[in-house]
């Protein structure tokens, strides 16, 4: 009970800090929130009226209190770009980012974990060198360059995948929106033509994000595995005559699974908040593109709303990984 209260208090303080930072960003940005709403041709009377309506005449601490109260009720304000509530806009664009980041993380885990294990088992071999090269390229190459090269080769030259966007124009609106995840909605509706088209659009940006995630996960997996493979219990297992498969996967890998939970959760959170460039290159209608477009339009309500949502998800994923860590590792409970 005490730990639950402590965790809840920590989460509340963290989220309050997040709201304070986003609130201050909105205040220090060189953008007049009143002019952003009414435009530069408004009269002084109109300016004063909106100034009062936005509560800008109140002390800063009072404005922050009002902002926190509105956010707790799901009210992020109204977007001056779309004319709709920011919460409604985020609910519309966020599933696209969630779908893209989830698929990218799955690719990164499915390929990155075995690659990291093999690199550790065959340390110094050509497998380890290839793994190191993949990780180095994944870290050093700018993702926008990889995205443009991917579009040029796999879309422009080879024609293996569909172009930018989330869905072909002929398939728009054919599947009713249930979850917002196009692949899942197409499966639910049983429309496999839409599913194939959506998969063709998402596979390239997901592979790029997955590659970035793979580079991180494989290197961390290799590091964890090397530590375990040099342990005495692994040597004992080999002396007992256990097969190498059992030694690696049933003994060594089982002991790094808990650490990998944290690594994968962080990789997932990073993809959710760091897919902005990928979304812009592939014209992906996700929250990254939404925030960027809003920022260019001086639509600070949308920018702050998107930032709060992404930050909250990042905090929640960290807490979830911490809880899973405690659940699977009895030592962490103490």
């Amino acid at each position: 009970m005490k730990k639950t209260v402590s965790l809840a208090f920590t989460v509340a303080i963290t989220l309050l800090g997040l709201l304070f930072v986003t609130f201050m960003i909105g205040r220090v940005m060189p953008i007049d929130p009143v002019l952003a709403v009414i435009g530069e041709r408004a009269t002084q009377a109109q300016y004063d009226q909106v100034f009062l309506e936005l509560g800008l005449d109140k002390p800063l601490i009072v404005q922050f209190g009002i902002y926190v109260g509105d956010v707790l009720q799901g009210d992020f304000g109204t977007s001056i770009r779309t004319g709709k509530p920011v919460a409604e806009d985020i609910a519309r664009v966020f599933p696209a980012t969630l779908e893209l980041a989830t698929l990218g993380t799955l690719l990164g885990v499915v390929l990155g974990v075995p690659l990291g294990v093999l690199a550790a088992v065959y340390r110094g071999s050509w497998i380890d060198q290839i793994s190191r090269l993949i990780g180095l390229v994944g870290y050093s190459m700018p993702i926008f360059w990889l995205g443009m090269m991917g579009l040029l080769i796999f879309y422009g030259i080879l024609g293996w995948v569909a172009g930018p966007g989330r869905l072909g124009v002929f398939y728009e609106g054919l599947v009713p929106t249930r979850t917002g995840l196009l692949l899942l909605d197409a499966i639910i509706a049983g429309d496999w033509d839409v599913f194939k088209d959506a998969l063709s659009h998402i596979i390239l940006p997901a592979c790029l994000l997955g590659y970035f995630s793979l580079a991180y996960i494989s290197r961390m997996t290799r590091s964890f595995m090397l530590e375990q493979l040099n342990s005495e219990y692994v040597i004992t297992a080999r002396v007992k005559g256990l097969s190498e498969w059992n030694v690696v996967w049933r003994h060594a890998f089982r002991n790094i699974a808990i650490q990998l939970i944290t690594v994968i959760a962080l990789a997932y959170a990073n993809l959710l908040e760091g897919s902005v460039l990928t979304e812009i290159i592939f014209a992906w209608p996700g929250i990254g593109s939404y925030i960027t477009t809003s920022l260019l339009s001086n639509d600070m309500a949308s920018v702050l709303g998107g930032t709060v949502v992404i930050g909250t998800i990042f905090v929640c994923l960290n807490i979830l990984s911490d809880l899973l860590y405690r659940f699977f590792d009895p030592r962490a409970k103490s």
Side-chain angles (χ1 to χ4, degrees), residues 4-86:
T4 304
V5 173
S6 175
L7 178 62
F9 180 74
T10 303
V11 173
I13 292 297
T14 305
L15 293 178
L16 189 63
L18 172 67
L19 291 177
F20 179 74
V21 171
T22 53
F23 173 78
M24 291 308 297
I25 289 175
R27 291 298 179 268
V28 299
M29 287 287 286
I31 298 174
D32 190 326
V34 179
L35 290 181
V37 174
I38 61 177
E40 296 182 355
R41 295 184 178 180
T43 62
Q44 185 61 40
Q46 291 172 323
Y47 183 95
D48 294 339
Q49 181 183 353
V50 174
F51 186 85
L52 294 175
E53 289 176 356
L54 293 177
L56 298 175
D57 59 320
K58 297 181 173 60
L60 205 59
I61 187 66
V62 176
Q63 293 181 38
F64 178 64
I66 295 172
Y67 175 69
V68 173
D70 290 341
V71 170
L72 290 178
Q73 298 177 46
D75 181 9
F76 297 103
T78 302
S79 169
I80 60 173
R81 186 171 61 86
T82 66
K84 298 179 181 178
V86 173

Side-chain angles (χ1 to χ4, degrees), residues 79-320:
S79 169
I80 60 173
R81 186 171 61 86
T82 66
K84 298 179 181 178
V86 173
E88 185 178 324
D89 284 343
I90 292 175
R92 175 175 50 80
V93 299
F94 182 70
T97 298
L98 180 67
E99 187 175 42
L100 181 63
T102 302
L103 188 57
T105 303
L106 286 176
L107 291 172
V109 172
V110 169
L111 299 176
V113 172
L115 183 62
V117 172
L118 290 174
V121 172
Y122 300 102
R123 182 181 184 182
S125 68
W126 62 270
I127 297 177
D128 189 20
Q129 299 302 327
I130 289 177
S131 168
R132 187 171 301 175
L133 178 63
I134 291 174
L136 183 63
V137 173
Y139 273 119
S140 58
M141 286 291 182
I143 196 164
F144 69 88
W145 184 85
L146 289 175
M148 289 189 290
M149 290 299 103
L151 276 175
L152 174 65
I153 296 172
F154 296 106
Y155 168 62
I157 298 176
L158 299 175
W160 289 356
V161 298
R166 200 179 179 196
L167 198 63
V169 64
F170 297 111
Y171 297 96
E172 293 281 357
L174 293 183
V175 172
T177 302
R178 298 180 186 276
T179 65
L181 309 177
L182 260 180
L183 294 176
L184 189 57
D185 285 346
I187 292 175
I188 293 173
D191 196 327
W192 297 107
D193 289 334
V194 173
F195 178 83
K196 291 177 183 176
D197 189 73
L199 183 62
S200 180
H201 278 83
I202 197 175
I203 192 65
L204 185 56
C207 283
L208 281 176
L209 289 179
Y211 180 52
F212 179 77
S213 182
L214 179 154
Y216 175 61
I217 292 174
S218 65
R219 299 312 294 170
M220 295 303 294
T221 303
R222 178 185 181 276
S223 176
F224 295 150
M225 282 297 292
L226 284 177
E227 182 181 351
Q228 296 299 322
L229 291 175
N230 292 324
S231 300
E232 292 183 357
Y233 77 90
V234 170
I235 298 173
T236 304
R238 284 174 172 153
V239 170
K240 285 182 176 180
L242 294 180
S243 66
E244 190 65 16
W245 174 273
N246 282 331
V247 171
V248 171
W249 291 101
R250 295 189 61 182
H251 291 272
F253 181 75
R254 181 177 293 179
N255 282 339
I256 73 164
I258 299 171
Q259 295 165 292
L260 279 182
I261 290 174
T262 304
V263 170
I264 293 170
L266 289 177
Y268 188 38
N270 284 330
L271 289 193
L272 279 174
E273 70 169 0
S275 59
V276 176
L277 286 176
T278 306
E279 290 186 359
I280 292 173
I281 293 168
F282 289 91
W284 194 259
I287 195 167
S289 295
Y290 177 74
I291 292 176
T292 306
T293 308
S294 299
L295 185 60
L296 295 175
S297 305
N298 294 339
D299 187 0
M300 288 309 296
S302 301
V303 173
L304 297 182
T307 304
V308 168
V309 170
I310 291 292
T312 303
I313 292 172
F314 192 90
V315 170
C316 290
L317 283 174
N318 274 279
I319 294 170
L320 178 62

